[in-house]
Every structure is written in structure tokens, then in C-alpha cells.
Amino acid sequence: MPTSIPADSVGLVQPQQLHFEQPLPLASGRQLDSYSLTIETYGTLNADRSNAILVCHALSGNHHLAGYHSMDDRKPGWWDSAIGPGKAIDTNRFFVVGLNNLGGCHGSSGPNQLNPDTGQPYGPDFPIVTVSDWVESQARLADRLGIQQWAAVIGGSLGGMQALQWSIDYPQRLRHCIVIAAAAKLSAQNIAFNEVARQAITRDPQFHSGHYYAQGAIPKTGLMLARMVGHITYLSDDGMREKFGRDMKGGTLSFDLSPQFEIESYLQYQGERFSTAFDANTYLLMTKALDYFDPAAQYDGNLTEAVRGALCKFKVISFTTDWRFSPERSREIVDALIDAGKAVSYAEIDSPQGHDAFLIPIPRYMEVFGACMRQVAADIPLPAQENR
């Protein structure tokens, strides 16, 4: 917990919950008759509402991007290193919006929230949602906030997929699209990792077909295993070797089945912590949204055609040791954008941290990202009186 708020922090912040009564049709054919979105905002929206930034979260992220909810918080929001006064996403320049996506477990309508039709938690009855469903709900959020066009839509990993989908679904509503450590669709290997995670959760005896809330249970073991598998894919071999090597907790082999290597203890700690902070049904939904993402599918698999209608400028960033969403996958996006005649720049950051690098303030990454955001700021239209 902080003893004082750093000068470059957004400080103490409070989430807001916005309710929407207009039904939301979903890609699955189902609909949400009403729903709520939990959001946080930082900075000040300018008079013509042209300086707004939407940050989309990854699988386990949420609306709490930066700052602290109280002085008792153990750590700030998940992208605090990039958002705040003078940081890459400078809250002296931008009005920043973060939200917890539909299906999430941090206040927005999702499995752990009450179904208004039954008065009980949705549980497994909450519908499957897709990236395009999220973008539609985010567009309605923009309408509620009076934002006709985002200065930029930004995201890493699954968040980057949402940013890309924005450029396709609402081309006139964003000036910049920043896609970090993402891909235009999952590989078979990535889908396989997600399926292992889902099997770990659904085969936990405490899962109860997703109705574990009513049983007063939590599929903790399954969620822990799912997170451990996922976490391995977020790290690189180089990073794991550098951080853990074959270091042992006790220095010598114990010749039993207890965790003896530092990497074993680390994964168990990460899994244990996650299993008490995240919802299993939400994890299942998020991995399905990842698996289903494929904007080129509606264009006979042609990604160039999928992005041809985009009007914004693009920045694509990847990391050398990210094997979950490798640089090759980012270059596929870049190639499609170039083929479609779009304005795109690309940076590949040398980093040993693997997929998790997009969350880490690596100096070169922050330099590149900061330069990109300065261009976003430069493209904010001047107030009407300054154009006379």
C-alpha cells in the first residue's frame, strides 16, 4: 500500500456503474434485455469531447486501469505505469476510459451478477459474448458519455483484438487504433491451451456445472490450474531462465512430491492468488471470446478485406519473446493493413518478458508508446475558435 500518492499518479479514484435499458443483441442470437457496465475515468474531457481514449482490457483485466481505490490498496491499477500525469497516456492531455467488459466479474453484468429475471446470479446462464459484442457495448458507452469519436482505442492481448474490431465495426468513431501484443485470430495451439484451462475448471468437483454460487462453493483447484497453465504461456523461456533457472527453495532435493523448485512455488502462488480473486464462469467466457475472434471470417478469411473500410491510423507493437502472440502474428495484421492501403507503423520491442511485456514499463516500449501517444495528442482537433 502507498504511504503517499506519487506525483505522476491519477490518485484516488472511484468506479462508476452505468445501467443500459436498451436490449443488446448478441452474436450468439441471444440478447441482454438490460445490462450494466462498470467504468473508471481519468483526466478531463475537453469541450468538444475529442480527447477521449478507450483502453480495452485483456482476459483477466478490468476497469481499474490506474490509481488507487483507497490508501489501503496493495498496488495501483493494472496499467498504472502507462496512465497518469506526464506518462505515455498523459491524463493532463487525455480523458481516459476503462471498463469491465460484459461477462466480467468486477461489477459489469456477468455470471457473478444478479439475473434480473430470476433474482439469482446468472452463473452459467450468462450468454457467450464475443469481441464484436463488447465493441457494440463500448460504442453505447461512448454514446452515453457523449463521445462521438475516440482519439484512440488501445489494448494489449485480448484488448488489442477489441481495438482492431473497433476499426472494422465503427471506422468513423476512432482516429487511432493501437494494437499491442495481439493477433487477428488464435492459433490452434492457443485454442488448445484455452481448452486445457476450461477442462481444468469444469472438471473440478466444486464447479457444479457452473452453479457453484448456489452451492456455496468455488472451483478453486480448477481455476488455480487454469491460471498456472495460462501463466506459463505469458512468460518466455528466457525470462523464466533468468528469473528462476533451476533454483531450489531449500537448496537440496527432498525426494518427495512437494514443490522444490522456485518456478513451482511461483506458479502455485500465482494460481492460488488468482483463484480467490477471479470468477471461474468469467474465465470460461473470456477464453471463448478469445477463441471466437476472427474478423476475417466474414470476408472469406481475407484480413485485408476485413480492414479495408478502416479510416484510422494504426500502431502495432509486438515483443520479441512473446510466443503466445508472437511478432509474426502482429506482422500479419501489419501486412493486411499495408495491403489495404492503411496508415500503419510497427514496432517490435526486444524484451525477455514474453507476452506479459505489454504490461511492463520496459524503457524502449514506453519510449515508442509515448511517441505514439504524442501523435494521438497532435491529431486532436483544435477548438473551433482556434481554427478561425
Side-chain angles (χ1 to χ4, degrees):
M1 63 187 69
T3 54
S4 62
I5 300 295
D8 62 353
S9 170
V10 298
L12 294 176
V13 296
Q14 292 298 322
Q16 309 168 51
Q17 189 173 73
L18 304 179
H19 189 70
F20 297 78
E21 290 290 346
Q22 180 186 1
L24 179 68
L26 303 173
S28 65
R30 297 179 62 184
Q31 78 171 22
L32 290 172
D33 293 333
S34 63
Y35 56 95
S36 296
L37 294 175
T38 297
I39 72 168
E40 279 185 13
T41 65
Y42 321 98
T44 302
L45 190 60
N46 62 11
D48 59 1
R49 299 175 183 269
S50 61
N51 68 331
I53 303 287
L54 176 65
V55 177
C56 304
H57 69 73
L59 188 152
S60 60
N62 55 37
H63 55 279
H64 185 38
L65 310 179
Y68 301 85
H69 287 154
S70 80
M71 294 299 290
D72 294 327
D73 285 0
R74 187 172 60 86
K75 59 181 182 179
W78 60 265
W79 218 13
D80 189 81
S81 61
I83 300 171
K87 295 180 181 177
I89 305 178
D90 189 346
T91 50
N92 290 328
R93 292 176 166 178
F94 301 114
F95 176 71
V96 185
V97 179
L99 80 157
N100 183 214
N101 278 326
L102 290 172
C105 56
H106 294 93
S108 292
S109 294
N112 69 346
Q113 298 296 306
L114 294 183
N115 181 342
D117 294 336
T118 65
Q120 299 297 318
Y122 278 101
D125 297 326
F126 195 86
I128 296 287
V129 286
T130 65
V131 169
S132 59
D133 293 330
W134 286 336
V135 169
E136 177 61 30
S137 70
Q138 293 161 6
R140 295 185 182 190
L141 170 61
D143 292 341
R144 177 71 65 88
L145 297 175
I147 297 166
Q148 292 304 307
Q149 186 183 65
W150 299 102
V153 178
I154 306 170
S157 191
L158 178 54
M161 295 174 175
Q162 294 165 63
L164 183 61
Q165 191 73 53
W166 258 98
S167 74
I168 296 169
D169 291 354
Y170 287 97
Q172 295 181 326
R173 299 198 67 174
L174 69 164
R175 293 191 295 279
H176 289 261
C177 175
I178 304 176
V179 179
I180 307 171
K185 62 182 176 183
L186 290 199
S187 65
Q189 183 187 57
N190 268 313
I191 294 171
F193 279 121
N194 286 344
E195 177 59 11
V196 171
R198 288 190 291 265
Q199 288 295 321
I201 291 170
T202 57
R203 291 176 181 267
D204 187 318
Q206 299 302 311
F207 183 64
H208 298 286
S209 299
H211 295 285
Y212 46 88
Y213 314 111
Q215 303 295 323
I218 299 175
K220 187 175 179 180
T221 299
L223 193 53
M224 179 177 175
L225 292 173
R227 184 58 170 179
M228 290 170 71
V229 169
H231 207 74
I232 292 169
T233 72
Y234 304 149
L235 304 174
S236 71
D237 184 38
D238 290 345
M240 292 174 79
R241 185 186 307 113
E242 182 180 315
K243 187 171 183 177
F244 304 105
R246 289 179 55 84
D247 293 350
M248 303 184 69
K249 293 172 60 181
T252 59
L253 298 173
S254 60
F255 293 96
D256 59 29
L257 298 180
S258 63
Q260 296 162 58
F261 292 94
E262 290 290 350
I263 184 60
E264 294 176 295
S265 295
Y266 173 78
L267 288 175
Q268 288 206 4
Y269 167 76
Q270 292 294 334
E272 179 74 27
R273 188 178 69 168
F274 189 76
S275 69
T276 60
F278 207 76
D279 181 70
N281 281 321
T282 286
Y283 199 93
L284 300 177
L285 287 178
M286 294 290 171
T287 58
K288 277 298 183 183
L290 274 164
D291 291 357
Y292 286 179
F293 180 70
D294 183 7
Q298 297 182 26
Y299 299 85
D300 295 325
N302 190 325
L303 184 59
T304 298
E305 291 305 313
V307 299
R308 192 171 296 281
L311 301 174
C312 61
K313 298 177 182 178
F314 290 86
K315 180 72 174 186
V316 180
I317 300 174
S318 69
F319 301 90
T320 52
T321 58
D322 181 357
W323 59 277
R324 184 83 196 243
F325 294 128
S326 68
E328 180 184 3
R329 307 310 307 282
S330 288
R331 290 195 293 269
E332 290 173 359
I333 298 173
V334 172
D335 289 344
L337 290 167
I338 291 172
D339 290 344
K342 304 305 168 186
V344 56
S345 59
Y346 172 62
E348 188 172 311
I349 306 298
D350 188 14
S351 149
Q353 287 94 344
H355 186 58
D356 266 354
F358 83 93
L359 296 168
I360 300 171
I362 301 162
R364 182 59 177 166
Y365 169 36
M366 288 294 103
E367 289 172 6
V368 169
F369 188 35
C372 177
M373 294 308 300
R374 286 192 291 275
Q375 183 59 57
V376 173
D379 286 347
I380 293 173
L382 293 173
Q385 60 270 24
E386 294 184 31
N387 282 321
R388 292 173 184 169

